[in-house]
């Protein structure tokens, strides 16, 4: 592709991108293709000859687009949003052409130093104290992995790093029953074993019961285990429940546990001082993760990992082969030592674009609107005779179900499962589910920067109508 | 930012991007800023008010660009190239606007199924047998981590996954002295301990000596260790040395070791049948990594992880919380179970663009040209009275140094270190170093898709002149 061709194709691409953003609500949110349908359209083997880009792009529109689930739609109310903004897209465009590698300061000083600064900006924006420092990771899963590895090395005095787990104590990790599955995955791969992840029961609001935590710790000590780390959720995935971080922190301190906070999603609300009731006790923690790629309008991937003692983290990961040594090593951050990967994208750039193009004020307004509209919908659901709320609404996730009082639990589960399918099959919105106390629960969360109250009103109308039709 | 504003800014961005690609050779390849210079230009705290995008972009050009090391330049001869192509940039542009998450098939069927297909295309293009299957990862570091975790779980019959390392044998991992540092990092974090990574000596070509490997394994068995995994390098980082994969494979088989191949860089050459002498024995392996983001013109990140037994991999990582369950789970790949992360970008798209827009033929021509020109330069260096080669050139990396026969080893090291600094200070090219048998070695590798022989001729001229000036 010549330079002129690139310019031409990239301009057409921009028009396609802008049109897509304009018309995203016309697509069915959830793709309705059947397994195997997309794959079958592509030949078994790679092409020998170069093809014209226009032809490739036509194929993209015709063959790929029907298999896309539209995470970009404001009517995407599923999982957690991976909502991005136009400023962030512009950031990704520059990243893609520079191809900057930030593994070592020298490989692009600006990538490291803008990241230094962005981690400070974000620390302040989230209302964290100056004790925190950190780096940008790909995902919260690897951020939580960092916490486990660092805790392991601190407790073993870097013995595991050097000698492996051999002759080590049986460590125990604690998290609430509602904690995100990344902790389950991580305790396995970090070598602790899934049996040593102790799930602590939750209260009626799905928040960890601190007394139960202390109970388990005491029993474990008696049984010869070594309590290592406790994870506090600032917003669980199922219901955005907030664990009592202060009480957990006191227990962590008492028993010398590493204290890690998973604020992957709800952390975004901390940019508004009025929601910082959630982070009370967070300052007692040793590490935390927060994903701007979820609800702060930065393209995936962009996850922030903060720690109090960065040297422990660096020591856990550090390697210095000859070919990576530079003269500046003593003066700068070499972020390859802050996570499992070596190569790293220039993620600070898009975060910087978003922070400046929105400004803190506007970001706070949007987050506050999302929360206010969710509380409005909560009231509507509570008022309705046919639906009920199944969890509190600390931020903007609604957990509810159809229940007109005429069905038993089993039938309710079946009905709500079918309701979810029918709602999603309309293509107008996409919602997902969870199970709370055995109840099939509809989960609805809107986090698009251009979400309006109207989107939620229409979603609610659609759900009510679909339930009526199903009855 | 309104839709119209986005369209306008994105079009200007495209012009900037195309101009950048046109003029990239006018920038100094290696940024010459001092530590802290970039950071100091940005305020301590985040902005409250929204700012105009034009102003932000001006700041980008003025404050960030001087701190960029230009990985995109054909005169970037450092590390390994992270060379990308225009087709791949267009792929990243679409990815950025769709924001597709491919963690579960349902979250975008096209992302999963195009990935299925691309892994097949790449398998065939690399000349691998049909036994291999795999998925796209972010980096080779995490790919090699997968291999360690899977080997660990297979050997322990999933006991480590469940119970942790407690009462496990002392596993040993083997790799050559020249293997990439990602194995050092990974043995630590996977819980084996750095002491249990056994580095096997290399021969005069920097390839592993298989007899030494067998030696170590036998000694370890006698000492009560359990040999677990051996890594064979298909192209080391220092010199692109190729380990004798067949001999290592036979040893791996004999002692029942997991056999992992690191073809992160040189794997690209396997698309040309004439370079498949390197992969003889690769079919004996259990897993391998190859990075299209290094020398196959796909934007970082895009790393392929292939395995023979994907079920072992999935079982090592699998988690199925309620909110991730879908009806299609039995019929499709849910790639979240193929690596450490949960969220994942639609990387298959850019790979597909590159494979089609280039076609295999053109990709092979480019790779072959790079190799041919490197061999030309090798001859020039060998002819020169003042320089000497320090390693063979299996593909396109040159390891050499100035040596006019008048200096002792210590002075040679000092001279070559200064030579490297002076060459890089010109801004005209960027090369890095390694140490081979204690010798300070200049490393030069060109992998840009638009590299010409002229770029190498000019680089060689510059190095010779700079050495003369330094004398
Ligand atoms: C509370 C919580 N923690 C962690 C994660 C994992 O996020 P990531 O995909 O960035 O690993 C999620 C994802 O939804 C989450 O909701
Ligand atoms: C041979 C080899 N293996 C692995 C890696 C690690 O690559 P990544 O940055 O994708 O983890 C490199 C990086 O240069 C390499 O040269």
């Amino acid at each position: 592709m010549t330079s002129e061709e690139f310019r031409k194709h990239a301009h057409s691409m921009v028009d396609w991108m802008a049109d897509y953003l304009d018309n995203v609500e016309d697509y069915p949110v959830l793709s309705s293709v059947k397994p195997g349908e997309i794959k079958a359209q592509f030949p078994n083997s790679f092409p020998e000859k170069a093809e014209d880009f226009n032809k490739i792009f036509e194929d993209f529109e015709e063959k790929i687009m029907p298999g896309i689930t539209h995470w970009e739609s404001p009517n995407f109310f599923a999982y957690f949003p991976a909502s991005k903004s136009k400023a962030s897209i512009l950031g990704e465009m520059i990243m893609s052409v520079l191809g900057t590698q930030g593994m070592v300061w020298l490989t692009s000083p600006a990538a490291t130093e803008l990241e230094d600064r962005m981690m400070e900006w974000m620390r302040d924006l989230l209302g964290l104290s100056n004790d925190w420092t950190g780096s940008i990771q790909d995902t919260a899963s690897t951020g939580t992995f960092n916490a486990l590895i660092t805790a392991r090395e601190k407790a073993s005095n870097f013995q595991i790093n050097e000698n492996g787990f051999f002759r080590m104590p049986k460590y125990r990790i604690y998290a609430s029953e509602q904690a995100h599955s990344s902790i389950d995955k991580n305790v396995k791969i970090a070598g602790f074993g899934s049996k040593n992840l102790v799930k602590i029961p939750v209260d009626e609001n799905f928040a960890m019961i601190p007394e139960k935590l202390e109970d388990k710790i005491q029993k474990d000590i008696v049984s010869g285990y070594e309590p290592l780390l406790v994870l506090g959720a600032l917003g669980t995935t199922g219901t955005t429940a907030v664990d009592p971080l202060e009480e957990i922190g006191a227990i962590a301190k008492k028993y010398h546990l590493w204290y890690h906070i998973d604020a992957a999603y709800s952390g975004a609300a901390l940019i508004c001082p009025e929601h910082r009731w959630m982070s009370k006790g967070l300052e007692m923690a040793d590490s935390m993760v927060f994903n701007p790629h979820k609800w702060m309008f930065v393209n995936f991937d962009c996850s922030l990992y903060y720690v109090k003692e960065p040297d422990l983290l660096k020591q856990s990961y550090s390697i210095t082969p000859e070919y990576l040594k530079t003269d500046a090593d003593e003066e700068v951050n070499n972020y390859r030592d802050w996570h499992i990967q070596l190569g790293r994208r220039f993620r600070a750039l898009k975060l910087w674009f978003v922070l400046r193009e929105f400004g803190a004020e506007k970001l706070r307004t949007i987050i506050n609107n999302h929360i206010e509209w969710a509380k409005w919908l909560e009231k509507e659901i509570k008022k309705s005779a046919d639906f009920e709320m199944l969890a509190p609404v600390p931020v903007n996730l609604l957990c509810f179900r159809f229940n007109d009082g005429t069905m038993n639990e089993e039938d309710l589960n079946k009905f709500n499962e079918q309701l979810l399918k029918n709602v999603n099959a309309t293509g107008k919105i996409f919602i997902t589910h969870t199970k709370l106390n055995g109840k099939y629960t509809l989960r609805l969360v809107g986090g698009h920067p251009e979400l309006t109250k109207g989107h939620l009103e229409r979603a609610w109308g659609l759900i009510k109508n679909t339930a009526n039709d199903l009855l």
Side-chain angles (χ1 to χ4, degrees), chain A:
Chain A
M1 195 182 295
T2 65
S3 177
E4 266 325 295
E5 282 165 351
F6 172 75
R7 200 180 291 264
K8 197 188 73 195
H9 293 310
H11 277 300
S12 322
M13 187 70 83
V14 163
D15 282 322
W16 185 88
M17 287 161 68
D19 291 345
Y20 175 74
L21 293 177
D22 283 347
N23 305 323
V24 65
E25 297 193 46
D26 299 341
Y27 294 92
V29 188
L30 178 64
S31 168
S32 60
V33 299
K34 300 276 163 299
E37 257 177 49
I38 300 286
K39 188 175 173 185
Q41 302 176 93
F42 296 95
N44 284 325
S45 192
F46 59 84
E48 269 301 320
K49 300 278 175 202
E51 294 180 67
D52 180 54
F53 188 75
N54 292 320
K55 175 75 190 72
I56 304 170
F57 193 73
E58 267 170 37
D59 270 5
F60 163 74
E61 286 199 274
E62 201 179 292
K63 298 177 178 167
I64 300 283
M65 282 302 279
I68 295 291
T69 292
H70 296 278
W71 286 75
E72 173 55 28
S73 170
N75 300 311
F76 183 100
F77 297 113
Y79 305 104
F80 276 134
S83 59
K84 60 205 162 301
S85 56
K86 300 184 172 80
S88 170
I89 294 168
L90 294 167
E92 283 274 357
M93 285 170 68
I94 302 189
M95 286 161 67
S96 77
V97 79
L98 293 180
T100 305
Q101 281 293 339
M103 57 198 189
V104 180
W105 176 84
L106 185 80
T107 57
S108 248
T112 295
E113 297 195 10
L114 191 65
E115 184 162 335
D116 293 343
R117 204 48 120 197
M118 287 311 103
M119 291 306 289
E120 292 166 11
W121 284 16
M122 282 306 306
R123 179 194 66 202
D124 296 347
L125 186 58
L126 295 167
L128 304 178
S129 71
N130 284 346
D131 302 352
W132 294 95
T133 169
S135 81
I136 306 184
Q137 314 268 328
D138 59 345
T139 64
S141 297
T142 45
T144 293
F145 185 70
N146 288 348
L148 282 170
I149 294 294
T150 319
R152 195 183 81 174
E153 295 312 322
K154 187 180 183 186
S156 76
N157 199 16
F158 290 89
Q159 282 298 303
I160 297 179
N161 232 318
E162 204 177 318
N163 297 318
F165 264 101
F166 195 69
R167 293 221 176 104
M168 282 297 136
K170 289 198 274 186
Y171 292 114
R172 287 246 143 148
I173 317 293
Y174 306 85
S176 98
E177 285 168 351
Q178 291 284 322
H180 185 259
S181 56
S182 50
I183 187 73
D184 299 72
K185 202 172 188 177
N186 279 322
V187 289
K188 295 202 290 182
I189 58 191
F192 298 110
S194 52
K195 280 194 180 158
N196 293 314
L197 172 61
V198 183
K199 297 275 181 97
I200 310 299
V202 293
D203 63 18
E204 69 285 2
N205 295 328
F206 306 100
M208 188 192 283
I209 304 171
E211 294 74 29
K212 301 269 182 191
L213 169 66
E214 185 158 14
D215 239 42
K216 292 274 190 190
I217 293 176
Q218 286 175 346
K219 285 207 183 101
D220 279 350
I221 293 172
V222 170
S223 313
Y225 292 102
E226 186 168 321
L228 181 74
L229 178 147
V230 58
L231 180 145
L234 195 158
T236 59
T237 310
T239 71
T240 59
V242 180
D243 288 338
L245 301 186
E246 216 169 2
E247 285 89 330
I248 299 172
I251 296 170
K253 196 149 243 133
K254 184 167 166 193
Y255 296 94
H256 308 290
L257 271 65
W258 186 278
Y259 188 20
H260 175 63
I261 307 279
D262 179 356
Y265 179 70
S266 297
L270 301 182
I271 70 171
C272 313
E274 56 270 49
H275 303 299
R276 294 205 184 132
W277 60 268
M278 293 195 286
S279 59
K280 211 166 158 238
L282 187 148
E283 286 301 332
M284 304 166 87
D286 299 291
S287 57
M288 73 165 277
V289 280
F290 160 58
N291 285 352
H293 71 222
K294 280 190 159 53
W295 185 28
M296 219 194 77
F297 323 131
V298 182
N299 274 57
F300 184 92
D301 44 10
C302 182
S303 178
L304 312 184
Y305 181 67
Y306 280 103
V307 274
K308 291 264 177 71
E309 297 173 276
D311 286 345
L312 282 177
L313 177 67
K314 287 187 269 179
Q315 215 180 322
S316 302
Y317 282 134
S318 171
I319 38 122
T320 40
E322 187 63 31
Y323 47 81
L324 292 179
K325 286 182 188 155
T326 75
D327 286 347
D329 289 349
E330 296 302 308
E331 298 169 75
V332 298
N333 284 325
N334 286 321
Y335 279 125
R336 63 149 196 272
D337 292 338
W338 295 59
H339 49 46
I340 175 170
Q341 295 93 349
L342 173 60
R344 60 202 319 272
R345 306 165 71 221
F346 188 5
R347 301 188 187 100
L349 188 71
K350 57 186 173 179
L351 180 55
W352 180 59
F353 274 15
V354 169
L355 289 174
R356 288 189 64 181
E357 206 269 331
F358 281 82
E361 239 179 49
K362 200 194 282 179
L363 288 172
R364 291 191 200 104
T365 306
I366 297 174
I367 296 282
N368 269 326
N369 283 340
H370 290 178
I371 296 176
E372 191 187 308
W373 299 331
K375 305 243 182 215
W376 164 82
L377 182 49
E378 181 190 19
K379 278 205 202 102
E380 292 297 304
I381 293 171
K382 283 184 170 166
K383 273 195 282 182
S384 140
D386 295 342
F387 285 85
E388 63 178 344
M389 289 299 299
L390 295 177
V393 182
V395 283
N396 63 334
L397 167 68
L398 295 125
C399 290
F400 62 105
R401 67 170 176 178
F402 178 88
N403 184 359
D404 63 357
T406 67
M407 300 182 211
N408 64 25
E409 282 299 319
E410 205 187 315
D411 289 343
L412 279 174
N413 280 357
K414 276 193 204 138
F415 185 90
N416 280 286
E417 190 171 350
Q418 193 56 50
L419 175 57
L420 178 107
K421 278 192 189 139
N422 292 4
V423 163
N424 288 342
T426 66
K428 292 193 177 136
I429 67 172
F430 176 28
I431 58 176
T432 45
H433 79 285
T434 191
K435 273 204 177 131
L436 297 174
N437 300 321
K439 294 172 189 166
Y440 193 95
T441 305
L442 307 178
R443 267 177 98 262
L444 186 154
V445 50
H448 193 284
E450 286 157 28
L451 185 78
T452 62
K453 193 173 171 191
H455 288 109
L456 286 170
E457 288 166 348
R458 286 188 294 277
W460 174 227
L462 177 72
I463 293 167
K464 284 190 293 188
N465 289 339
T466 312
N468 272 337
D469 293 347
L470 182 60
L471 272 177

